[in-house]
Amino acid sequence: MFSVRTLSLALLMGLATLPVIYAQYRHIRIRSKLPKTIVEWRSPGEKDHEDFENIWNLLGPVLAKHGWTSWSWRGFCMLRPPGGGPGSLPNANGYIYAGSSAGLSPFEADRIEIWQYVNPLNRAVRSHEGRDAVCRIIVVGKEGRNALDALRRLATGPDTLLFENHVLPMLQEIHFQDLILGVFPMTGIPMSWLYGDSALAGTDSSVGDLMDMFLQALEALEFIHSKRVAHRDAFHCNFLVQWQPNSMRHMEIPTSRPRVFLIDFETAISFPETLSYDDCLCTSAPFADMDSYAQPIPTMVLSGQPYSPFFARSLPGDLQIPLHEDFYSGTRRRSPCPGNGRNGSSSAQDAQEYSRCPRAAVPTDTTDVRRPG
């Protein structure tokens, strides 16, 4: 027979495990309501703001446990700092700046008051200490391991201190069930917004401004290639610029230049750093469904034959920055009518148009092939 003391200890131990069991049950319940694949996460439900908000509301307790709070919904694909009304701004973090003290354009003022996103893989968050950052879904189940490997190699550790490393640092990994989220500093806008047909009203970049950005972008790719990482989606929309120098508006050469950061390693692949470039080969395309991919696709990628993702270290490999007439026209573009968005449209209209970029594809599990002996 068990003694009263033994039974009492067993009862106490059982009661002590109840919070753990409840927490595990709660986590399973939360995970069951979240998207099961990266494709589903990119385009949940009916693709309206309620579906976008629901999945991050479910993750609210997970973010809070790790010291983060989601930004507040403002409009379609737009967020604003938590607890702030119109005119509230992100807190300084060393990565995002408003621009020159000489004055902000309506676009610049609107840009720093709101944070726009293309799909709900990303979320603006604020730490309990007031730091603003972006949380991104990296791994869902077995998907995204290549991206995580690349980010751990490039965006963490001592290499983040190197000036030629333009990869946006990963501040934290958040593990929840089969999900891994990365937290990155909040920084500026895509380079694609500053020139060419994608340029937004209120941008006044000079040729010198843009050339400095392009040189930094090339330096970024040179560095990740030296670490045997191929981005495989290095178009100008995946380079973020800290602020707009707007040299043409101020009609002076700025003494400081914005830093350019490389982001979005969803399609990246990493090779052993000891391999030569010639031995780093792929046999599959970056995305499983290349028909929905919005960018030009090199023929070799779709050939089914082994190819180098560092192809000539230039077009059409991992240097996919179009240097054509749009580059020059982008330095002279003006909106035909006043407004905060592209061609005079409102920022809400612009955000809605930008969010419809056809990127509903998911990267394949890329196979690397080493050239035989």
Side-chain angles (χ1 to χ4, degrees):
M1 297 292 293
F2 294 105
S3 66
V4 174
R5 181 179 180 182
T6 302
L7 291 174
S8 299
L9 288 174
L11 179 60
L12 290 174
M13 292 177 63
L15 291 175
T17 60
L18 284 179
V20 177
I21 295 173
Y22 174 74
Q24 292 175 344
Y25 169 76
R26 186 184 182 192
H27 290 171
I28 292 173
R29 287 276 296 174
I30 292 174
R31 181 64 187 98
S32 67
K33 298 178 181 179
L34 294 172
K36 303 300 187 293
T37 66
I38 291 180
V39 167
E40 291 179 13
W41 207 291
R42 182 179 284 111
S43 303
E46 299 298 325
K47 300 184 181 181
D48 58 30
H49 75 273
E50 292 184 359
D51 293 313
F52 293 177
E53 291 300 299
N54 285 340
I55 59 177
W56 284 100
N57 287 339
L58 287 169
L59 281 174
V62 179
L63 294 177
K65 180 182 177 181
H66 291 85
W68 300 96
T69 301
S70 177
W71 275 32
S72 305
W73 181 78
R74 175 179 173 178
F76 188 85
C77 291
M78 293 186 291
L79 305 174
R80 65 185 178 196
S88 59
L89 302 175
N91 294 322
N93 63 0
Y95 289 87
I96 186 170
Y97 295 90
S100 170
S101 60
L104 301 179
S105 69
F107 166 69
E108 288 173 305
D110 197 35
R111 177 185 65 81
I112 62 175
E113 290 179 16
I114 63 174
W115 186 81
Q116 300 181 17
Y117 59 92
V118 179
N119 58 61
L121 281 171
N122 302 285
R123 187 73 175 188
V125 294
R126 173 169 288 180
S127 73
H128 295 170
E129 297 81 24
R131 291 180 298 149
D132 288 312
V134 175
C135 186
R136 178 176 175 95
I137 303 296
I138 300 174
V139 172
V140 179
K142 296 181 179 180
E143 297 179 308
R145 295 289 170 177
N146 288 332
L148 183 64
D149 291 343
L151 287 168
R152 285 174 173 173
R153 182 181 299 184
L154 300 169
T156 64
D159 281 353
T160 58
L161 299 175
L162 300 176
F163 70 87
E164 66 265 33
N165 185 0
H166 292 261
V167 178
L168 194 64
M170 184 164 63
L171 305 176
Q172 182 181 1
E173 286 185 22
I174 298 176
H175 294 246
F176 176 70
Q177 299 288 299
D178 64 337
L179 304 177
I180 300 179
L181 296 74
V183 180
F184 302 86
M186 180 175 290
T187 187
I189 62 174
M191 191 179 359
S192 58
W193 289 15
L194 299 179
Y195 73 97
D197 290 337
S198 299
L200 304 183
T203 60
D204 295 284
S205 301
S206 68
V207 172
D209 294 337
L210 297 177
M211 285 303 300
D212 180 74
M213 297 174 196
F214 287 136
L215 289 174
Q216 289 192 56
L218 298 179
E219 183 177 52
L221 295 174
E222 176 70 20
F223 177 80
I224 70 169
H225 290 178
S226 73
K227 296 296 181 178
R228 299 304 185 266
V229 174
H231 191 282
R232 304 204 302 164
D233 193 26
F235 290 89
H236 50 190
C237 57
N238 282 329
F239 291 92
L240 299 184
V241 184
Q242 280 184 299
W243 73 84
Q244 298 169 243
N246 289 332
S247 297
M248 291 186 66
R249 183 194 310 160
H250 307 307
M251 297 308 294
E252 61 182 20
I253 299 175
T255 55
S256 60
R257 296 283 189 178
R259 188 163 176 82
V260 174
F261 293 101
L262 178 59
I263 63 166
D264 194 356
F265 281 76
E266 185 178 344
T267 61
I269 181 171
S270 304
F271 298 91
E273 293 188 51
T274 55
L275 286 185
S276 68
Y277 289 111
D278 291 338
D279 291 330
C280 299
L281 302 175
C282 297
T283 57
S284 59
F287 290 96
D289 181 13
M290 295 301 290
D291 291 337
S292 61
Y293 189 58
Q295 307 289 3
I297 305 172
T299 304
M300 66 175 64
V301 173
L302 303 178
S303 68
Q305 300 298 317
Y307 67 93
S308 171
F310 308 113
F311 177 68
R313 317 281 290 289
S314 61
L315 288 171
D318 222 1
L319 287 182
Q320 299 159 328
I321 306 173
L323 297 175
H324 49 63
E325 63 273 8
D326 280 349
F327 166 75
Y328 300 101
S329 65
T331 65
R332 301 191 299 269
R333 278 181 61 88
R334 296 292 186 274
S335 175
C337 56
N340 295 338
R342 183 184 296 114
N343 295 330
S345 65
S346 68
S347 58
Q349 290 172 329
D350 183 76
Q352 188 166 358
E353 179 181 349
Y354 184 66
S355 70
R356 292 171 180 164
C357 178
R359 286 290 305 276
V362 63
T364 59
D365 289 329
T366 305
T367 304
D368 70 289
V369 178
R370 301 187 184 183
R371 191 182 303 277

